[in-house]
Structure formats: structure tokens, C-alpha cells
Amino acid sequence: MRCTVGVLALQGDFARHEAALQHYGLTTRPVRRPEHLRGLSGLVLPGGESTTMLRLLGVQGLEAPLVDLLRGGRVPVLATCAGLILLAREVRDPAQRSFGVLDIVVARNGYGRQIASGTISLAGDWLPAGTTGIFIRAPRILAVGPAVEVLARRDGDPVLVRQGRVLGACFHPELEPEHPLLRAFVADLA
Ligand code: GLN
């Protein structure tokens, strides 16, 4: 069976995520309405502006079915940047409502403003040596709960985490060709 991966496409970097997944021969589906969630083999929550995404999720009636799917643990999920913020247990600086799917506390824009954005080396055994991450007004993970595995760090801070089948990254793997994080997500879809 061919895998179809849903990419939340209300706002943000969804097109680059779709292109990066199509590179692996996957079919992608932009998710804009509740019926787009049916029959997916995986789901991506892209970067962008989490406040805008939250508002549009409400407008589209998509929030409740999306959160059901995320909590169900049935499909692999990849959440990057704004997507990670949506899934956190608690959001600070500024505070914002979130879904509590990942037991983490995040500070929005915790690595500074646009000018402080850049490509940074990641530390950790889960990713191949030399792997980098592109950080763009990225969230900073301030705390992780006991069910959360830290898969990569930046200067000691967690920047890639996993809880069950949910992977959450502070950086943008879709902006680097064949980023190992995308390969790992694709491998878990089978
Ligand atoms: N700073 C953005 C937010 O608060 C996230 C930035 C990103 O997704 N690259 O939602």
C-alpha cells in the first residue's frame, strides 16, 4: 500500500515539507479540513507561526479531530518549530494555549529573533555525526518530562525529542536535503 502523509497546510512551511517527503516517493496530502485526516499513514506539523495556526485550526473545525489523532498514537508524527509549540504541555514567552501531546515546556522564540537564526551543529548519538539543524526564530525546550527521550541537543539544550511515535524538532529538517530526521520519520511509516 502506498503511504499518504498528511501535512498541516493552514500556514507556514508546509510546501517545503511536502516536497521533502515526495523526494522519498511518498504521497502527501495538504490537511486543511477534518476529512483530510482520514486514512493517513503519518502526519507533519510544519514550522510557521503557531498563533496563526491555532486560530486557523479553530476556524476550520480541525482542532478537535487533529488532537484526537495526535493523542491516539496510531501514526508517526513529525512536529517542527511552530508544530512543536502546538504540541507542548506548556508554552511561555509569550504564554499560549497548547495540546499537551509532548510533555515539554517551551519558550517561543527562545533562541532570539530572526537575526539570531542560523545553521547549528547538533550533538547526540541518534543522528549521524555532523548533522546540523536550521533554527529560525526557534522555540527553546526548557524542560522535558520522564516519558520524553532527548535525541539531539544544541549547547546542552534538547532540540530534538521523541515521545511514543511523536518526534518534535526545534529546527527545520525540510530545509536541508535528505536530513537524517526526515529519513528516520519516513522509515517509521512502514
Ligand atoms: N516563532 C514561531 C512561533 O512562535 C515559530 C518559528 C518557526 O516555526 N520557525 O510560532
Side-chain angles (χ1 to χ4, degrees):
M1 195 190 71
R2 238 175 119 83
C3 282
T4 300
V5 179
V7 180
L8 185 66
L10 298 175
Q11 188 273 338
D13 201 22
F14 54 88
R16 293 294 290 261
H17 266 291
E18 286 198 79
L21 293 169
Q22 286 163 8
H23 175 76
Y24 292 99
L26 295 167
T27 303
T28 60
R29 181 194 298 160
V31 172
R32 298 195 170 97
R33 292 199 300 273
E35 58 268 31
H36 298 157
L37 293 169
R38 266 185 234 131
L40 295 177
S41 307
L43 182 65
V44 173
L45 305 183
E49 273 304 328
S50 53
T51 312
T52 310
M53 287 186 196
L54 263 184
R55 192 171 54 76
L56 294 175
L57 282 168
V59 170
Q60 297 292 94
L62 191 53
E63 181 171 324
L66 179 75
V67 172
D68 274 356
L69 181 67
L70 291 165
R71 294 215 172 117
R74 190 179 56 76
V75 298
V77 175
L78 173 62
T80 64
C81 280
L84 173 93
I85 295 170
L86 293 179
L87 297 195
R89 168 169 60 79
E90 187 186 329
V91 178
R92 298 184 188 163
D93 304 328
Q96 179 168 279
R97 203 164 64 72
S98 55
F99 303 152
V101 171
L102 281 174
D103 188 8
I104 59 174
V105 179
V106 298
R108 295 178 64 194
N109 306 322
Y111 288 103
R113 293 147 58 98
Q114 188 79 23
I115 194 135
S117 299
T119 305
I120 311 282
S121 291
L122 304 177
D125 296 338
W126 194 76
L127 294 166
T131 302
T132 53
I134 297 181
F135 290 76
I136 305 170
R137 293 189 307 108
R140 189 177 213 132
I141 298 177
L142 303 176
V144 302
V148 176
E149 293 168 82
V150 176
L151 302 179
R153 294 180 185 270
R154 164 185 175 170
D155 299 328
D157 286 347
V159 290
L160 174 61
V161 295
R162 177 168 60 190
Q163 183 172 351
R165 297 189 88 184
V166 180
L167 283 163
C170 299
F171 53 91
H172 283 263
E174 79 283 7
L175 298 181
E176 293 183 80
E178 304 198 1
H179 195 284
L181 173 55
L182 283 176
R183 264 189 266 139
F185 172 69
V186 170
D188 194 28
L189 292 170

